[in-house]
Every structure is written in C-alpha cells, then in structure tokens.
Amino acid sequence: MMKIGILIGSLSQKSYSRKIAQFIVNSFPNIAFMELNYRQLSLYDPDLEVTNCPINWQAFRLAIRKFNALLFVTPEYNYSIPGGLKNALDILSGADTEDLLIDKPTMIITDSSGNRGGLIANLQLQQVLRMLGMRVFNNEVTLSKVQELFNDQDELIDQSSRDFLIANVTEFYDFIKHT
Ligand SMILES: Cc1cc2nc3c(=O)[nH]c(=O)nc-3n(C[C@H](O)[C@H](O)[C@H](O)COP(=O)(O)O)c2cc1C
C-alpha cells in the first residue's frame, strides 16, 4: 500500500488545514496516510549536528524514509509558510540527510481565509521543496475562504472543493506511481 506522510502547516487544533487533510484521508482508503507531527522539534541549530544532535531531529529524519511521498497542507502566514513548518524542513536538510528528500514526490495544498487561497505560500513552498530535491507535483492546489467550506461537524460540504481535491490527489497518486 502506498504510504504518504502529511505535514500540516497549522498547529491549531481547530485548523482548517487539518480538516482538509482529514477529508483527503477519509476519501482515499487505498492510501496509508500518516501525519508527521513536527510540533516537538527544537529549533534548527547547525552547531548541534556533530556533537549533540537532538533525538527528535534524528527520529523525524528516520520517519521520513518510510513514506513514498509527502503531502503538505498549510495556511499562508504573512505571505509565506508558517515558521514551524520551515523549521521542520530545515531539519530535514541538515547533515546526514543528503538523500532524504531527493526525488521524493510531494504535493502542496494551501488554504486561506482570503481570496488567494495562500497562493504566495504555495509558490514559496514549491521553491523550498525543489531546492531540497523533491519532485513537486505542479498543480497549484489552493482553497480560498476556507472558513466557508465546512459545516459544524467539520465536514467539507462545498462540492466544488471536494471534487477539486479528489481530482488533484488522484492525479498525484498517478504521479507518485510513475516515479
Ligand atoms: C499569523 C497569521 C498570519 C496570516 N497571514 C495570512 C496571509 O498572509 N495571507 C492570507 O491569505 N491569510 C493569512 N492568515 C489567515 C489564514 O489564512 C487563516 O487564518 C487560515 O484559516 C489559517 O489556517 P488554519 O485554519 O489551518 O490554522 C494568517 C493567519 C495567521 C494566524
């Protein structure tokens, strides 16, 4: 079974990004999704690599190897990606991680409460992931006015958003298989 690790850009328990991820997990029972929770990672410091590499960095780096692909679901924060997510990516690019992300397929979904669906963060994250050597799925998957898309039970009720996400994840699935 294909394994996809999910990184959610928001740490909020009420996060819309998390609800979007949950919709995808529920919609694709043929894929083994697992969230990679990076909340506990300490701030990246190159000085620690050689003598005192934090165990949480080592565990995170090892965990990444288990997945065929990574899916990012993140809001835009101040025209960029949230700092915690960037810190997690910096940790994956540190020493002894040369081949960790090389050619690993990845898809980005951004969302925002405004009209652009976090497009600026989406493009910036594409750039970071390409820099890390990942195979980035090219579609810009963005959801605008995300607070209007769910009901009180956290279900995605907007049909065009449901269709849009399912079509893109299906395409991503084929993209991974042709790696
Ligand atoms: C610190 C912060 C910065 C934000 N910056 C932007 C922004 O630059 N552009 C934007 O469209 N929305 C911005 N927003 C609004 C988010 O898009 C919106 O709150 C989104 O629902 C947060 O994602 P979440 O529900 O997954 O936590 C910002 C929100 C926060 C908390």
Side-chain angles (χ1 to χ4, degrees), residues 22-23 92 149 170:
Q22 193 59 54
F23 169 75
L92 294 180
L149 307 180
T170 301

Side-chain angles (χ1 to χ4, degrees), residues 8-20 73-80 82 111-121 143 145-147:
I8 297 173
S10 171
L11 298 180
S12 165
Q13 279 309 307
K14 295 177 188 161
S15 161
Y16 288 107
S17 308
R18 177 172 299 283
K19 293 175 194 176
I20 292 166
V73 188
T74 181
E76 181 171 285
Y77 274 7
N78 301 313
Y79 280 15
S80 187
D111 61 271
S112 78
S113 50
N115 286 325
R116 288 183 307 265
L119 181 62
I120 300 171
L143 292 178
K145 296 196 186 304
V146 70
Q147 70 282 7

